[in-house]
Amino acid sequence: MEAELLTTETREASPAVAEILSRPHTLDDTGLDHFFVADLLLKHLNLVSNQTLQHLARQMALPGAVLEPVLNLLRREAKVESRSADLSDGGLRYALTDRGRAEALDSLSRDGYCGPAPVLLRDYESLVRRQSVSGCVVTEEDMHRLFRNTVVDDSLLAQLGPAVHSGRAMFIYGPAGSGKSYISRQLVKLLAGPVYIPYSLLVGDTVISLFDPEFHHPVHGEQQDPVHLTSGHDPRYVLCHRPEVTTGGELTLDMLELKFDEQRKQYQAPLQLKASNGMLLIDDLGRQRVSHVDLLNRWIVPMEEKRDFLNLRAGQHFAVPFDMLLIFSTNLNPLELADEAFLRRIGHKIGFRTLAPQSYLRLWQQVCQQMAMENDPDVTRFMMTELYPMQGNVLLPCHPRDLLGLVSDYCRYRGLPARLSRDSIEWAWQNYFVHMDNVG
């Protein structure tokens, strides 16, 4: 059973974070200049014409008090025109003139971003530091509470707990099916949250999209109106649960660099930047299509300096914060994947083992209960004393779920209620494990 989230989700930022997130009341408060906001306004009006100030404020995540002076100046420059108020919403509507449309198209040809207004990189760096995973306190009690419904050896928890508390990188290794991926994905729940994620970042005059709904899940009920409120946080940020980013055999080096969409003229942040203040799990290390040496070397500087370096197409080189619970997980021998110099930089090396018989039987009983299948002691004894010795008595956490799932398949096919029997477990065994002596 998956453990519940441990931390209480508060919607109030700490005083240090609140200072960065204070709601802007003027253009100067945003850190953005007039020309950038004007260009973004023109792009939005080019996308959807005849918009009210309220609608523009919501689309751009900037208060109406910030946008109105920019709109007025665009009107004086004959790039935007106002139209009669709509009685249904009581506000003026704005549309592009021919001159404004030409300028919008010119802006889009250079930078196709047309979303919420970005935040300055320096403000984001400060925010990441104040929401750092290294500031999360993890106790022995937290670990045991998180895994109270999971069969995990206390010795393993005693290694994982300090590793998470430290905020340093982890190297997790062990046989396939030993629970590495499942246990690793639970660890993000130990990081106190939530955190604020900006929609996008501004580097020079280039926008980089950061918010990704695949990884950034807003705290329920955190919607706010950017138009009328005079209090609350800067609407360019979204309050989210700490991000959990997992990648496996599909990982390539280019996924760790800025991605530029040639057609849309937009930049997308790399995986590690989306994982900021959360967790990044590199699963199945050594199974990637890219050399594991190149992949591991990519992490050396960020791990040591707590910052990563990215490049824009024009050649601009800039640093971004590198703050996350970074976990490498592999089924292979770590000494065959990484040299001593790299492993020395990893704070914690944690080996996952096969289960002891007593722990295995506890997990077997737990899975039986979850699947509403009665555990037959005679069948279980037959499995442990006669079937497992043929497999070298290797007891893995994945076996109960997989074997009992096959038992259920067998019973349903025969029109029987799902139950353990000698016939059903032998059938499941024959279908689960590879028996080369039957091939030929």
Side-chain angles (χ1 to χ4, degrees), residues 371-404:
M371 299 183 67
M373 189 181 299
E374 186 177 351
N375 182 27
D376 187 322
D378 292 334
V379 175
T380 305
R381 190 178 305 110
F382 165 70
M383 177 183 68
M384 298 295 289
T385 59
E386 296 191 36
L387 296 181
Y388 262 115
M390 294 189 296
Q391 296 299 134
N393 289 315
V394 176
L395 308 175
L396 292 173
C398 63
H399 288 173
R401 177 199 62 209
D402 296 343
L403 287 169
L404 290 170

PDB file of all heavy atoms in Angstrom, residues 371-404:
ATOM      1  N   MET A 371      -5.029  -8.304  -2.592  1.00  0.00           N
ATOM      2  CA  MET A 371      -5.707  -8.911  -3.735  1.00  0.00           C
ATOM      3  C   MET A 371      -6.926  -9.728  -3.316  1.00  0.00           C
ATOM      4  O   MET A 371      -7.540 -10.402  -4.143  1.00  0.00           O
ATOM      5  CB  MET A 371      -4.722  -9.788  -4.506  1.00  0.00           C
ATOM      6  CG  MET A 371      -3.535  -9.033  -5.071  1.00  0.00           C
ATOM      7  SD  MET A 371      -2.407 -10.065  -6.052  1.00  0.00           S
ATOM      8  CE  MET A 371      -3.449 -10.452  -7.462  1.00  0.00           C
ATOM      9  N   ALA A 372      -7.273  -9.649  -2.018  1.00  0.00           N
ATOM     10  CA  ALA A 372      -8.427 -10.394  -1.490  1.00  0.00           C
ATOM     11  C   ALA A 372      -8.323 -11.875  -1.825  1.00  0.00           C
ATOM     12  O   ALA A 372      -9.292 -12.529  -2.220  1.00  0.00           O
ATOM     13  CB  ALA A 372      -9.737  -9.819  -2.033  1.00  0.00           C
ATOM     14  N   MET A 373      -7.111 -12.432  -1.654  1.00  0.00           N
ATOM     15  CA  MET A 373      -6.861 -13.838  -1.948  1.00  0.00           C
ATOM     16  C   MET A 373      -6.410 -14.515  -0.651  1.00  0.00           C
ATOM     17  O   MET A 373      -5.475 -14.058   0.001  1.00  0.00           O
ATOM     18  CB  MET A 373      -5.781 -13.967  -3.023  1.00  0.00           C
ATOM     19  CG  MET A 373      -5.602 -15.368  -3.565  1.00  0.00           C
ATOM     20  SD  MET A 373      -4.288 -15.440  -4.822  1.00  0.00           S
ATOM     21  CE  MET A 373      -4.933 -14.324  -6.069  1.00  0.00           C
ATOM     22  N   GLU A 374      -7.067 -15.578  -0.281  1.00  0.00           N
ATOM     23  CA  GLU A 374      -6.731 -16.263   0.966  1.00  0.00           C
ATOM     24  C   GLU A 374      -5.376 -16.954   0.840  1.00  0.00           C
ATOM     25  O   GLU A 374      -5.090 -17.629  -0.147  1.00  0.00           O
ATOM     26  CB  GLU A 374      -7.803 -17.295   1.310  1.00  0.00           C
ATOM     27  CG  GLU A 374      -7.589 -17.948   2.669  1.00  0.00           C
ATOM     28  CD  GLU A 374      -8.707 -18.913   3.043  1.00  0.00           C
ATOM     29  OE1 GLU A 374      -9.733 -18.940   2.328  1.00  0.00           O
ATOM     30  OE2 GLU A 374      -8.542 -19.647   4.036  1.00  0.00           O
ATOM     31  N   ASN A 375      -4.546 -16.752   1.851  1.00  0.00           N
ATOM     32  CA  ASN A 375      -3.218 -17.363   1.851  1.00  0.00           C
ATOM     33  C   ASN A 375      -3.314 -18.774   2.417  1.00  0.00           C
ATOM     34  O   ASN A 375      -3.696 -18.961   3.571  1.00  0.00           O
ATOM     35  CB  ASN A 375      -2.260 -16.515   2.691  1.00  0.00           C
ATOM     36  CG  ASN A 375      -0.852 -17.075   2.690  1.00  0.00           C
ATOM     37  OD1 ASN A 375      -0.448 -17.745   1.752  1.00  0.00           O
ATOM     38  ND2 ASN A 375      -0.106 -16.798   3.760  1.00  0.00           N
ATOM     39  N   ASP A 376      -2.976 -19.757   1.608  1.00  0.00           N
ATOM     40  CA  ASP A 376      -3.004 -21.163   2.031  1.00  0.00           C
ATOM     41  C   ASP A 376      -1.621 -21.537   2.548  1.00  0.00           C
ATOM     42  O   ASP A 376      -0.660 -21.594   1.770  1.00  0.00           O
ATOM     43  CB  ASP A 376      -3.393 -22.048   0.836  1.00  0.00           C
ATOM     44  CG  ASP A 376      -3.609 -23.496   1.242  1.00  0.00           C
ATOM     45  OD1 ASP A 376      -2.855 -23.986   2.106  1.00  0.00           O
ATOM     46  OD2 ASP A 376      -4.521 -24.140   0.675  1.00  0.00           O
ATOM     47  N   PRO A 377      -1.477 -21.802   3.847  1.00  0.00           N
ATOM     48  CA  PRO A 377      -0.148 -22.104   4.410  1.00  0.00           C
ATOM     49  C   PRO A 377       0.519 -23.305   3.747  1.00  0.00           C
ATOM     50  O   PRO A 377       1.744 -23.324   3.579  1.00  0.00           O
ATOM     51  CB  PRO A 377      -0.443 -22.373   5.890  1.00  0.00           C
ATOM     52  CG  PRO A 377      -1.745 -21.674   6.153  1.00  0.00           C
ATOM     53  CD  PRO A 377      -2.522 -21.766   4.882  1.00  0.00           C
ATOM     54  N   ASP A 378      -0.258 -24.300   3.354  1.00  0.00           N
ATOM     55  CA  ASP A 378       0.331 -25.491   2.723  1.00  0.00           C
ATOM     56  C   ASP A 378       0.928 -25.140   1.362  1.00  0.00           C
ATOM     57  O   ASP A 378       2.017 -25.620   0.998  1.00  0.00           O
ATOM     58  CB  ASP A 378      -0.724 -26.591   2.565  1.00  0.00           C
ATOM     59  CG  ASP A 378      -1.166 -27.166   3.900  1.00  0.00           C
ATOM     60  OD1 ASP A 378      -0.354 -27.110   4.860  1.00  0.00           O
ATOM     61  OD2 ASP A 378      -2.306 -27.645   4.002  1.00  0.00           O
ATOM     62  N   VAL A 379       0.221 -24.307   0.606  1.00  0.00           N
ATOM     63  CA  VAL A 379       0.725 -23.904  -0.709  1.00  0.00           C
ATOM     64  C   VAL A 379       1.967 -23.037  -0.538  1.00  0.00           C
ATOM     65  O   VAL A 379       2.956 -23.187  -1.283  1.00  0.00           O
ATOM     66  CB  VAL A 379      -0.372 -23.159  -1.497  1.00  0.00           C
ATOM     67  CG1 VAL A 379       0.195 -22.624  -2.818  1.00  0.00           C
ATOM     68  CG2 VAL A 379      -1.563 -24.063  -1.764  1.00  0.00           C
ATOM     69  N   THR A 380       1.938 -22.133   0.416  1.00  0.00           N
ATOM     70  CA  THR A 380       3.090 -21.267   0.658  1.00  0.00           C
ATOM     71  C   THR A 380       4.301 -22.086   1.072  1.00  0.00           C
ATOM     72  O   THR A 380       5.429 -21.836   0.619  1.00  0.00           O
ATOM     73  CB  THR A 380       2.758 -20.231   1.746  1.00  0.00           C
ATOM     74  OG1 THR A 380       1.574 -19.519   1.367  1.00  0.00           O
ATOM     75  CG2 THR A 380       3.903 -19.259   1.926  1.00  0.00           C
ATOM     76  N   ARG A 381       4.078 -23.081   1.922  1.00  0.00           N
ATOM     77  CA  ARG A 381       5.181 -23.947   2.359  1.00  0.00           C
ATOM     78  C   ARG A 381       5.761 -24.716   1.170  1.00  0.00           C
ATOM     79  O   ARG A 381       6.987 -24.855   1.032  1.00  0.00           O
ATOM     80  CB  ARG A 381       4.669 -24.916   3.416  1.00  0.00           C
ATOM     81  CG  ARG A 381       5.769 -25.704   4.128  1.00  0.00           C
ATOM     82  CD  ARG A 381       5.204 -26.615   5.211  1.00  0.00           C
ATOM     83  NE  ARG A 381       4.398 -25.869   6.168  1.00  0.00           N
ATOM     84  CZ  ARG A 381       3.069 -25.978   6.272  1.00  0.00           C
ATOM     85  NH1 ARG A 381       2.400 -26.795   5.478  1.00  0.00           N
ATOM     86  NH2 ARG A 381       2.414 -25.272   7.173  1.00  0.00           N
ATOM     87  N   PHE A 382       4.886 -25.204   0.293  1.00  0.00           N
ATOM     88  CA  PHE A 382       5.338 -25.905  -0.911  1.00  0.00           C
ATOM     89  C   PHE A 382       6.201 -24.977  -1.783  1.00  0.00           C
ATOM     90  O   PHE A 382       7.251 -25.371  -2.299  1.00  0.00           O
ATOM     91  CB  PHE A 382       4.115 -26.402  -1.691  1.00  0.00           C
ATOM     92  CG  PHE A 382       4.408 -26.819  -3.103  1.00  0.00           C
ATOM     93  CD1 PHE A 382       5.141 -27.967  -3.378  1.00  0.00           C
ATOM     94  CD2 PHE A 382       3.961 -26.043  -4.169  1.00  0.00           C
ATOM     95  CE1 PHE A 382       5.411 -28.349  -4.695  1.00  0.00           C
ATOM     96  CE2 PHE A 382       4.224 -26.407  -5.477  1.00  0.00           C
ATOM     97  CZ  PHE A 382       4.955 -27.566  -5.735  1.00  0.00           C
ATOM     98  N   MET A 383       5.767 -23.743  -1.913  1.00  0.00           N
ATOM     99  CA  MET A 383       6.504 -22.781  -2.719  1.00  0.00           C
ATOM    100  C   MET A 383       7.894 -22.520  -2.129  1.00  0.00           C
ATOM    101  O   MET A 383       8.905 -22.508  -2.849  1.00  0.00           O
ATOM    102  CB  MET A 383       5.721 -21.465  -2.813  1.00  0.00           C
ATOM    103  CG  MET A 383       6.429 -20.355  -3.585  1.00  0.00           C
ATOM    104  SD  MET A 383       5.484 -18.812  -3.593  1.00  0.00           S
ATOM    105  CE  MET A 383       5.581 -18.309  -1.866  1.00  0.00           C
ATOM    106  N   MET A 384       7.942 -22.338  -0.801  1.00  0.00           N
ATOM    107  CA  MET A 384       9.203 -21.961  -0.168  1.00  0.00           C
ATOM    108  C   MET A 384      10.186 -23.131  -0.078  1.00  0.00           C
ATOM    109  O   MET A 384      11.400 -22.936  -0.143  1.00  0.00           O
ATOM    110  CB  MET A 384       8.933 -21.415   1.244  1.00  0.00           C
ATOM    111  CG  MET A 384       8.078 -20.150   1.261  1.00  0.00           C
ATOM    112  SD  MET A 384       8.886 -18.727   0.477  1.00  0.00           S
ATOM    113  CE  MET A 384      10.162 -18.339   1.654  1.00  0.00           C
ATOM    114  N   THR A 385       9.679 -24.365   0.082  1.00  0.00           N
ATOM    115  CA  THR A 385      10.567 -25.509   0.310  1.00  0.00           C
ATOM    116  C   THR A 385      10.879 -26.298  -0.958  1.00  0.00           C
ATOM    117  O   THR A 385      11.902 -27.007  -1.004  1.00  0.00           O
ATOM    118  CB  THR A 385       9.952 -26.462   1.352  1.00  0.00           C
ATOM    119  OG1 THR A 385       8.673 -26.926   0.874  1.00  0.00           O
ATOM    120  CG2 THR A 385       9.793 -25.764   2.698  1.00  0.00           C
ATOM    121  N   GLU A 386      10.022 -26.184  -1.979  1.00  0.00           N
ATOM    122  CA  GLU A 386      10.256 -26.982  -3.183  1.00  0.00           C
ATOM    123  C   GLU A 386      10.488 -26.138  -4.441  1.00  0.00           C
ATOM    124  O   GLU A 386      11.334 -26.484  -5.270  1.00  0.00           O
ATOM    125  CB  GLU A 386       9.081 -27.949  -3.414  1.00  0.00           C
ATOM    126  CG  GLU A 386       8.922 -28.987  -2.307  1.00  0.00           C
ATOM    127  CD  GLU A 386       7.936 -30.085  -2.685  1.00  0.00           C
ATOM    128  OE1 GLU A 386       7.909 -30.464  -3.872  1.00  0.00           O
ATOM    129  OE2 GLU A 386       7.192 -30.530  -1.790  1.00  0.00           O
ATOM    130  N   LEU A 387       9.736 -25.052  -4.590  1.00  0.00           N
ATOM    131  CA  LEU A 387       9.877 -24.250  -5.808  1.00  0.00           C
ATOM    132  C   LEU A 387      11.068 -23.289  -5.727  1.00  0.00           C
ATOM    133  O   LEU A 387      11.876 -23.208  -6.660  1.00  0.00           O
ATOM    134  CB  LEU A 387       8.586 -23.475  -6.088  1.00  0.00           C
ATOM    135  CG  LEU A 387       7.353 -24.328  -6.398  1.00  0.00           C
ATOM    136  CD1 LEU A 387       6.140 -23.443  -6.676  1.00  0.00           C
ATOM    137  CD2 LEU A 387       7.607 -25.249  -7.596  1.00  0.00           C
ATOM    138  N   TYR A 388      11.169 -22.541  -4.632  1.00  0.00           N
ATOM    139  CA  TYR A 388      12.250 -21.554  -4.542  1.00  0.00           C
ATOM    140  C   TYR A 388      13.657 -22.159  -4.558  1.00  0.00           C
ATOM    141  O   TYR A 388      14.578 -21.547  -5.121  1.00  0.00           O
ATOM    142  CB  TYR A 388      12.065 -20.646  -3.329  1.00  0.00           C
ATOM    143  CG  TYR A 388      11.409 -19.329  -3.697  1.00  0.00           C
ATOM    144  CD1 TYR A 388      10.157 -18.978  -3.236  1.00  0.00           C
ATOM    145  CD2 TYR A 388      12.059 -18.431  -4.551  1.00  0.00           C
ATOM    146  CE1 TYR A 388       9.557 -17.783  -3.600  1.00  0.00           C
ATOM    147  CE2 TYR A 388      11.469 -17.227  -4.920  1.00  0.00           C
ATOM    148  CZ  TYR A 388      10.218 -16.910  -4.447  1.00  0.00           C
ATOM    149  OH  TYR A 388       9.629 -15.732  -4.820  1.00  0.00           O
ATOM    150  N   PRO A 389      13.875 -23.326  -3.960  1.00  0.00           N
ATOM    151  CA  PRO A 389      15.223 -23.910  -4.079  1.00  0.00           C
ATOM    152  C   PRO A 389      15.663 -24.113  -5.529  1.00  0.00           C
ATOM    153  O   PRO A 389      16.858 -24.040  -5.823  1.00  0.00           O
ATOM    154  CB  PRO A 389      15.071 -25.247  -3.345  1.00  0.00           C
ATOM    155  CG  PRO A 389      14.029 -24.976  -2.312  1.00  0.00           C
ATOM    156  CD  PRO A 389      13.044 -24.075  -3.003  1.00  0.00           C
ATOM    157  N   MET A 390      14.711 -24.323  -6.441  1.00  0.00           N
ATOM    158  CA  MET A 390      15.069 -24.481  -7.854  1.00  0.00           C
ATOM    159  C   MET A 390      15.543 -23.162  -8.458  1.00  0.00           C
ATOM    160  O   MET A 390      16.179 -23.146  -9.502  1.00  0.00           O
ATOM    161  CB  MET A 390      13.862 -25.009  -8.650  1.00  0.00           C
ATOM    162  CG  MET A 390      13.435 -26.416  -8.266  1.00  0.00           C
ATOM    163  SD  MET A 390      12.181 -27.082  -9.392  1.00  0.00           S
ATOM    164  CE  MET A 390      10.811 -25.978  -9.098  1.00  0.00           C
ATOM    165  N   GLN A 391      15.211 -22.041  -7.798  1.00  0.00           N
ATOM    166  CA  GLN A 391      15.629 -20.719  -8.268  1.00  0.00           C
ATOM    167  C   GLN A 391      16.766 -20.163  -7.424  1.00  0.00           C
ATOM    168  O   GLN A 391      17.030 -18.962  -7.441  1.00  0.00           O
ATOM    169  CB  GLN A 391      14.443 -19.735  -8.221  1.00  0.00           C
ATOM    170  CG  GLN A 391      13.292 -20.079  -9.135  1.00  0.00           C
ATOM    171  CD  GLN A 391      13.688 -20.096 -10.605  1.00  0.00           C
ATOM    172  OE1 GLN A 391      13.340 -21.009 -11.345  1.00  0.00           O
ATOM    173  NE2 GLN A 391      14.426 -19.073 -11.028  1.00  0.00           N
ATOM    174  N   GLY A 392      17.410 -21.024  -6.669  1.00  0.00           N
ATOM    175  CA  GLY A 392      18.534 -20.581  -5.844  1.00  0.00           C
ATOM    176  C   GLY A 392      18.100 -19.821  -4.603  1.00  0.00           C
ATOM    177  O   GLY A 392      18.895 -19.088  -4.012  1.00  0.00           O
ATOM    178  N   ASN A 393      16.817 -19.975  -4.209  1.00  0.00           N
ATOM    179  CA  ASN A 393      16.279 -19.292  -3.016  1.00  0.00           C
ATOM    180  C   ASN A 393      16.462 -17.777  -3.074  1.00  0.00           C
ATOM    181  O   ASN A 393      16.720 -17.120  -2.064  1.00  0.00           O
ATOM    182  CB  ASN A 393      16.924 -19.845  -1.732  1.00  0.00           C
ATOM    183  CG  ASN A 393      16.456 -21.248  -1.417  1.00  0.00           C
ATOM    184  OD1 ASN A 393      15.265 -21.548  -1.500  1.00  0.00           O
ATOM    185  ND2 ASN A 393      17.385 -22.137  -1.087  1.00  0.00           N
ATOM    186  N   VAL A 394      16.343 -17.213  -4.273  1.00  0.00           N
ATOM    187  CA  VAL A 394      16.420 -15.766  -4.437  1.00  0.00           C
ATOM    188  C   VAL A 394      15.025 -15.184  -4.221  1.00  0.00           C
ATOM    189  O   VAL A 394      14.110 -15.408  -5.035  1.00  0.00           O
ATOM    190  CB  VAL A 394      16.952 -15.395  -5.831  1.00  0.00           C
ATOM    191  CG1 VAL A 394      16.923 -13.880  -6.021  1.00  0.00           C
ATOM    192  CG2 VAL A 394      18.360 -15.934  -6.022  1.00  0.00           C
ATOM    193  N   LEU A 395      14.838 -14.473  -3.131  1.00  0.00           N
ATOM    194  CA  LEU A 395      13.535 -13.922  -2.756  1.00  0.00           C
ATOM    195  C   LEU A 395      13.540 -12.421  -3.019  1.00  0.00           C
ATOM    196  O   LEU A 395      14.215 -11.665  -2.318  1.00  0.00           O
ATOM    197  CB  LEU A 395      13.240 -14.194  -1.275  1.00  0.00           C
ATOM    198  CG  LEU A 395      13.371 -15.655  -0.816  1.00  0.00           C
ATOM    199  CD1 LEU A 395      13.184 -15.762   0.683  1.00  0.00           C
ATOM    200  CD2 LEU A 395      12.361 -16.539  -1.542  1.00  0.00           C
ATOM    201  N   LEU A 396      12.782 -11.981  -4.015  1.00  0.00           N
ATOM    202  CA  LEU A 396      12.741 -10.562  -4.384  1.00  0.00           C
ATOM    203  C   LEU A 396      11.380  -9.958  -4.056  1.00  0.00           C
ATOM    204  O   LEU A 396      10.342 -10.639  -4.166  1.00  0.00           O
ATOM    205  CB  LEU A 396      13.034 -10.399  -5.871  1.00  0.00           C
ATOM    206  CG  LEU A 396      14.463 -10.734  -6.304  1.00  0.00           C
ATOM    207  CD1 LEU A 396      14.586 -10.699  -7.824  1.00  0.00           C
ATOM    208  CD2 LEU A 396      15.463  -9.758  -5.678  1.00  0.00           C
ATOM    209  N   PRO A 397      11.348  -8.675  -3.689  1.00  0.00           N
ATOM    210  CA  PRO A 397      10.076  -8.027  -3.340  1.00  0.00           C
ATOM    211  C   PRO A 397       9.052  -8.016  -4.473  1.00  0.00           C
ATOM    212  O   PRO A 397       7.858  -7.893  -4.218  1.00  0.00           O
ATOM    213  CB  PRO A 397      10.498  -6.601  -2.975  1.00  0.00           C
ATOM    214  CG  PRO A 397      11.921  -6.718  -2.564  1.00  0.00           C
ATOM    215  CD  PRO A 397      12.496  -7.791  -3.435  1.00  0.00           C
ATOM    216  N   CYS A 398       9.500  -8.116  -5.728  1.00  0.00           N
ATOM    217  CA  CYS A 398       8.555  -8.078  -6.844  1.00  0.00           C
ATOM    218  C   CYS A 398       7.816  -9.403  -7.030  1.00  0.00           C
ATOM    219  O   CYS A 398       6.760  -9.453  -7.680  1.00  0.00           O
ATOM    220  CB  CYS A 398       9.274  -7.711  -8.143  1.00  0.00           C
ATOM    221  SG  CYS A 398      10.518  -8.930  -8.649  1.00  0.00           S
ATOM    222  N   HIS A 399       8.337 -10.504  -6.471  1.00  0.00           N
ATOM    223  CA  HIS A 399       7.760 -11.821  -6.730  1.00  0.00           C
ATOM    224  C   HIS A 399       6.317 -11.989  -6.244  1.00  0.00           C
ATOM    225  O   HIS A 399       5.474 -12.502  -6.987  1.00  0.00           O
ATOM    226  CB  HIS A 399       8.641 -12.911  -6.127  1.00  0.00           C
ATOM    227  CG  HIS A 399       9.924 -13.125  -6.860  1.00  0.00           C
ATOM    228  ND1 HIS A 399      10.919 -13.967  -6.404  1.00  0.00           N
ATOM    229  CD2 HIS A 399      10.380 -12.603  -8.022  1.00  0.00           C
ATOM    230  CE1 HIS A 399      11.933 -13.954  -7.259  1.00  0.00           C
ATOM    231  NE2 HIS A 399      11.633 -13.122  -8.242  1.00  0.00           N
ATOM    232  N   PRO A 400       5.982 -11.615  -4.987  1.00  0.00           N
ATOM    233  CA  PRO A 400       4.601 -11.829  -4.534  1.00  0.00           C
ATOM    234  C   PRO A 400       3.565 -11.169  -5.440  1.00  0.00           C
ATOM    235  O   PRO A 400       2.569 -11.815  -5.824  1.00  0.00           O
ATOM    236  CB  PRO A 400       4.592 -11.222  -3.128  1.00  0.00           C
ATOM    237  CG  PRO A 400       6.005 -11.367  -2.660  1.00  0.00           C
ATOM    238  CD  PRO A 400       6.836 -11.118  -3.888  1.00  0.00           C
ATOM    239  N   ARG A 401       3.785  -9.917  -5.791  1.00  0.00           N
ATOM    240  CA  ARG A 401       2.816  -9.221  -6.656  1.00  0.00           C
ATOM    241  C   ARG A 401       2.710  -9.897  -8.014  1.00  0.00           C
ATOM    242  O   ARG A 401       1.606 -10.119  -8.533  1.00  0.00           O
ATOM    243  CB  ARG A 401       3.254  -7.770  -6.821  1.00  0.00           C
ATOM    244  CG  ARG A 401       2.385  -6.936  -7.756  1.00  0.00           C
ATOM    245  CD  ARG A 401       3.139  -5.703  -8.212  1.00  0.00           C
ATOM    246  NE  ARG A 401       4.342  -6.083  -8.966  1.00  0.00           N
ATOM    247  CZ  ARG A 401       5.446  -5.351  -9.017  1.00  0.00           C
ATOM    248  NH1 ARG A 401       5.520  -4.212  -8.359  1.00  0.00           N
ATOM    249  NH2 ARG A 401       6.489  -5.768  -9.724  1.00  0.00           N
ATOM    250  N   ASP A 402       3.850 -10.269  -8.600  1.00  0.00           N
ATOM    251  CA  ASP A 402       3.846 -10.855  -9.941  1.00  0.00           C
ATOM    252  C   ASP A 402       3.253 -12.261  -9.942  1.00  0.00           C
ATOM    253  O   ASP A 402       2.442 -12.611 -10.806  1.00  0.00           O
ATOM    254  CB  ASP A 402       5.268 -10.882 -10.503  1.00  0.00           C
ATOM    255  CG  ASP A 402       5.840  -9.483 -10.708  1.00  0.00           C
ATOM    256  OD1 ASP A 402       5.047  -8.520 -10.718  1.00  0.00           O
ATOM    257  OD2 ASP A 402       7.066  -9.363 -10.855  1.00  0.00           O
ATOM    258  N   LEU A 403       3.676 -13.090  -8.989  1.00  0.00           N
ATOM    259  CA  LEU A 403       3.195 -14.468  -8.954  1.00  0.00           C
ATOM    260  C   LEU A 403       1.698 -14.540  -8.636  1.00  0.00           C
ATOM    261  O   LEU A 403       0.948 -15.288  -9.270  1.00  0.00           O
ATOM    262  CB  LEU A 403       3.991 -15.268  -7.918  1.00  0.00           C
ATOM    263  CG  LEU A 403       5.436 -15.607  -8.312  1.00  0.00           C
ATOM    264  CD1 LEU A 403       6.197 -16.164  -7.110  1.00  0.00           C
ATOM    265  CD2 LEU A 403       5.469 -16.607  -9.464  1.00  0.00           C
ATOM    266  N   LEU A 404       1.261 -13.756  -7.667  1.00  0.00           N
ATOM    267  CA  LEU A 404      -0.165 -13.780  -7.312  1.00  0.00           C
ATOM    268  C   LEU A 404      -1.021 -13.181  -8.428  1.00  0.00           C
ATOM    269  O   LEU A 404      -2.174 -13.565  -8.612  1.00  0.00           O
ATOM    270  CB  LEU A 404      -0.384 -13.034  -5.997  1.00  0.00           C
ATOM    271  CG  LEU A 404       0.179 -13.766  -4.759  1.00  0.00           C
ATOM    272  CD1 LEU A 404       0.145 -12.866  -3.533  1.00  0.00           C
ATOM    273  CD2 LEU A 404      -0.600 -15.056  -4.499  1.00  0.00           C
TER     274      LEU A 404
END
